[in-house]
């Protein structure tokens, strides 16, 4: 049937043949009938469930082997099983963004003749972290091993861990200062790194000599290899049970069934048509050290998305009109964009766990060449590609939710994900040794609201549905900082009938080190990179870092004086300024400045999610609880939600329903008095557009988009009724 020798030519031919059959029939590998499923559906489902269980079991085993708190605590790992041609059959929970990126990696090796040189043999281990081959960013290191049965290549087992250190120009994995490929760190470009189920010693030496903290990378490699071997042996056991011919056929049927299931789910949950959404990302680097003087210090990215859903359920995402790639770390590759699509689908339409590459095959991405989504230069950096990926796929989530709402599935509506700024560090550890690491408590930001309830507080990120910030004590073992506070950021969730999830802020005392480099990435500054829905507000994104250098905290503690454990709720006079002596600093957006030493204090906050629905429909009783719990300030309750609070006999805030009703009536009346017909608003804005009355960053954003995309330029002119030769001046 498909029992073929694992020769280079035959495997490459088989891949090309499979793609040809897909193009001709519209079905994966030309499978128009699910024969085995029809013959014995119980056996079909049992085997698929077993494969899923094997993947989950292998992942959990590997997490307990891993040295990295990012993998062990946060769950930054995923494993999957693939066909010989590299299509995902089954996968575990975890960072599912990398399931299809591993598929791209396997296919890249097949297309480039790896079966001839360096050869693909039983017991071989291949690794990759090159985004232009198949991953998202350098710290996403993937390992795959071939699965042979009696000399025949019958599949692949693969695993990915996000490494906390990659040896780049700045310590950690998301290398914020990377402005070209050559500064991102240690690249492993589809290499054979092991044989006979063991990592090559020369590969381990290369890791040890090129990473600030190689223990994480090396021991994670061993954990991934262990999980791949476990899955490989499980698959071989299943083949012994069902026979090789049955396995080769059913693995293909699983994928085709997954494709059909995705199309059916889309038809069921959404309304066909074209949906459009938009978001922006602002990056402020002006006056910050280390950034190359190429282009502008401050960048504004325009991310328009058109989603089309056909009557057969196919989803197409078109990024026409977005910005060109740049000399910064936020570029992405088609592999990364595929990963964003895959992880979004697995959370919002295929959340039962039985998803595979078939779901991805039911979609299409249109990524204009030369944009940040599809650079035409493979030397660009992709180290912090999530900075643009997350806002983009947040739009996708809201577009899907419009479809859910239009079909009447209100309970499926989700405002979506947000960017989750990351803190990374390096220098001298508390043990007196060199170190570098990323702190992954960012895996627990606030989510967008739902159409039926508030978003999740400090418990969601887009890239990993198992969001977990990890234990404080474990992080403290790995970095020369100790926590003096971790608290909810008031007003950080977008307002609405249902508010977005709140974020949190961590406050650390730098401890037992004379040299600590701190830097952060993936902040959107001065613009919203998310949004609300149906009248809900976006969440604030312009969180600021507050720092105290040469603080007197030890003296205060010795005298048992009050200490600040967070910046507090006053944006103009933080608790640090009120209670802690020393040199106070406030930094907007990405943090990169002079090194720190023991005794300094540093704060870093994350992002909340957008709101859903009209703020004046917010439940006053629920709002009183939010104020009591510190999720909302009294001022915001009154000014944003129109809710009047008073204190009960015990001093707790309660809603004054009568006063709230009166205030909301006044707010609605004011809305009406300020309202203007849309036609009048457009006419007024048109004069601004025609006169190019924008901030310099906005003009440059539109100018670059119009130069790169003729379609975007034409639609822009037509919408605003501008002259056919209108161009936006960059200066």
């Amino acid at each position: 049937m498909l029992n073929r020798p694992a020769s280079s030519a035959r495997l490459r031919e088989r891949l090309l043949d499979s793609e040809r059959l897909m193009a001709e029939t519209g079905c994966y590998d030309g499978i128009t009938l699910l024969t085995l499923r029809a013959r014995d559906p119980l056996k079909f489902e049992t085997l698929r469930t077993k494969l899923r269980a094997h993947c989950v079991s292998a992942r959990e085993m590997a997490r307990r082997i891993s040295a990295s708190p990012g993998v062990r605590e946060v769950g930054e790992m995923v494993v999957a099983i693939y066909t010989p041609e590299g299509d995902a059959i089954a996968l575990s929970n975890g960072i599912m963004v990398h399931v299809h990126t591993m598929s791209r990696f396997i296919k890249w090796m097949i297309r480039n003749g790896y079966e001839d040189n360096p050869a693909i043999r039983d017991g071989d281990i291949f690794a990759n972290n090159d985004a232009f081959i198949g991953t998202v960013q350098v710290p996403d290191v993937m390992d795959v091993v071939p699965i042979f049965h009696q000399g025949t290549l019958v599949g692949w087992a693969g695993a990915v861990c996000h490494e906390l250190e990659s040896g780049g120009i700045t310590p950690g994995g998301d290398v914020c200062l990377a402005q070209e490929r050559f500064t991102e760190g240690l690249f492993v470009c589809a290499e054979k790194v092991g044989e006979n189920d063991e990592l090559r010693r020369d590969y381990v030496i290369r890791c040890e000599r090129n990473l600030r903290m190689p223990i994480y990378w090396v021991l994670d490699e061993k954990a991934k290899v262990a999980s791949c071997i476990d899955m490989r042996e499980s698959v071989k056991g299943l083949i012994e049970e069902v026979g090789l011919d049955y396995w080769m056929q059913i693995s293909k049927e699983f994928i085709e069934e997954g494709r059909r299931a995705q199309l059916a789910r889309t038809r069921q949950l959404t309304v066909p048509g074209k949906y459009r959404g938009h978001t922006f990302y602002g990056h402020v680097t002006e006056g910050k050290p280390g950034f190359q003087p190429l282009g502008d210090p401050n960048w504004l990215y325009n991310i328009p998305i058109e989603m089309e859903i056909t009557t057969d359920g196919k989803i197409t995402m078109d990024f026409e009109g977005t910005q060109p790639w740049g000399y910064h770390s936020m570029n992405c590759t088609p592999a990364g964009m595929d990963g964003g699509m895959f992880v979004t689908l697995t959370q919002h339409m295929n959340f039962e766990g039985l998803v595979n590459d078939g779901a991805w095959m039911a979609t299409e991405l249109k990524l204009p060449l030369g944009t940040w989504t599809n650079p035409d230069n493979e030397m660009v950096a992709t180290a912090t590609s999530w900075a643009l990926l997350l806002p983009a796929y947040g739009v996708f989530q809201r577009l899907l939710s419009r479809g859910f709402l239009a079909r009447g599935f209100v309970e499926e509506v989700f405002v979506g994900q947000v960017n989750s700024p990351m803190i990374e560090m390096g220098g001298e550890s508390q043990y007196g040794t060199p170190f570098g690491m990323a702190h992954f408590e960012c895996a627990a930001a606030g989510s967008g609201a739902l159409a039926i309830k508030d978003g999740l507080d400090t418990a969601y990120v887009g890239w990993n549905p198992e969001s977990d910030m990890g234990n404080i004590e474990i992080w403290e073992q790995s970095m020369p900082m100790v926590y003096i506070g971790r608290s909810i950021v008031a007003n950080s969730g977008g307002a609405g009938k249902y508010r977005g999830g709140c974020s949190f802020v961590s406050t650390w005392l730098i401890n037992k080190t004379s040299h600590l480099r701190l830097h952060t990435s993936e902040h959107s500054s001065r613009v919203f990179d998310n949004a609300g829905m149906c009248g809900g507000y976006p969440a604030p994104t312009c969180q600021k870092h507050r720092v105290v250098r040469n603080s007197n905290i030890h003296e205060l503690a010795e005298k048992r004086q009050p200490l600040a454990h967070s910046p507090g709720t006053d944006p103009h006079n933080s608790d640090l300024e009120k209670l802690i002596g020393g040199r106070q600093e406030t930094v907007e957006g990405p943090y990169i400045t002079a090194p720190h030493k023991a005794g300094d204090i540093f704060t870093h906050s994350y992002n909340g999610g957008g709101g859903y629905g009209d703020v004046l429909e917010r439940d006053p009783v629920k709002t009183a609880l939010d104020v009591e719990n510190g999720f909302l300030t009294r001022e915001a309750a009154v000014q944003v939600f129109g809710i009047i609070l008073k204190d009960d006999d015990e001093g707790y805030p309660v809603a004054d329903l009568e006063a709230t009703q009166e205030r909301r009536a006044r707010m609605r009346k004011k809305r009406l008095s300020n309202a203007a017909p849309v036609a009048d608003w457009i006419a007024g804005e048109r004069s601004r557009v025609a006169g190019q009355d924008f901030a310099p960053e906005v003009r440059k954003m539109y100018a670059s988009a119009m130069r790169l995309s003729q379609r975007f330029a034409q639609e822009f002119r037509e919408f605003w009724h501008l002259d056919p030769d209108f161009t936006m001046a960059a200066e």
Side-chain angles (χ1 to χ4, degrees), residues 624 627 634 638 643-649 651-660:
V627 172
R634 286 177 178 261
V638 176
I643 295 172
I644 307 298
L645 301 175
K646 58 185 179 180
D647 290 342
D648 64 11
D649 295 339
Y652 292 108
V654 294
D656 185 330
L657 299 182
E658 184 176 346
T660 294

Side-chain angles (χ1 to χ4, degrees), residues 587-601:
V587 178
E588 176 193 5
Y591 185 86
I592 181 166
T593 183
H596 287 274
K597 65 181 188 301
D600 292 353
I601 296 171

Side-chain angles (χ1 to χ4, degrees), residues 129 131 135-141 162 173-174 382-386 522:
N129 69 339
T135 192
V136 179
Q137 51 186 164
V138 171
D140 298 322
V141 186
H162 185 111
D174 290 26
T382 62
T384 64
S385 52
W386 285 106
E522 293 157 16

Side-chain angles (χ1 to χ4, degrees), residues 203-373:
Y203 171 61
V204 174
I205 290 172
R206 180 149 63 97
C207 295
E208 291 172 344
R209 296 181 66 84
N210 287 280
L211 299 168
R212 295 175 179 87
M213 207 166 185
I215 185 173
Y216 292 150
W217 186 304
V218 173
L219 291 183
D220 281 352
E221 285 287 81
K222 295 182 178 182
K224 285 181 287 184
V225 170
S227 67
C228 287
I229 292 173
D230 187 64
M231 288 188 294
R232 182 189 69 193
E233 297 307 308
S234 296
V235 169
K236 289 165 70 173
L238 286 176
I239 292 174
E240 290 292 337
E241 178 184 331
V242 302
L244 180 57
D245 286 352
Y246 189 89
W247 162 258
M248 298 298 276
Q249 179 64 22
I250 201 169
S251 59
K252 307 285 188 180
E253 288 196 18
F254 285 149
I255 296 172
E256 172 58 19
E257 198 271 345
R259 188 190 68 83
R260 297 182 187 189
Q262 171 63 45
L263 293 172
R265 187 70 58 87
T266 304
R267 292 195 303 270
Q268 176 191 18
L269 294 178
T270 66
V271 174
K274 289 186 178 181
Y275 301 73
R276 284 190 167 187
H278 215 127
T279 194
F280 300 88
Y281 180 89
H283 195 59
V284 175
T285 64
E286 188 171 5
K288 297 184 179 180
F291 289 91
Q292 294 182 23
L294 298 172
D296 301 306
N298 301 327
W299 306 311
L300 180 59
Y301 265 75
N302 164 50
I303 310 176
I305 297 175
E306 180 180 275
M307 179 182 77
E308 182 176 7
I309 299 178
T310 62
T311 54
D312 66 353
K314 181 180 178 181
I315 297 174
T316 300
M317 286 261 286
D318 191 343
F319 285 81
E320 186 73 30
T322 195
Q323 305 303 104
W325 62 266
Y327 287 100
H328 52 68
S329 60
M330 301 177 295
N331 303 293
C332 197
T333 65
M337 299 301 293
D338 283 349
M341 171 68 85
F342 193 92
V343 74
T344 305
L345 291 175
T346 56
Q347 292 181 63
H348 302 291
M349 302 190 81
N350 294 283
F351 35 77
E352 74 281 353
L354 299 178
V355 68
N356 54 36
D357 255 345
W360 175 83
M361 294 172 186
T363 67
E364 181 183 357
L365 288 177
K366 294 184 177 180
L367 309 173
L369 187 64
T371 65
W372 66 268
T373 70

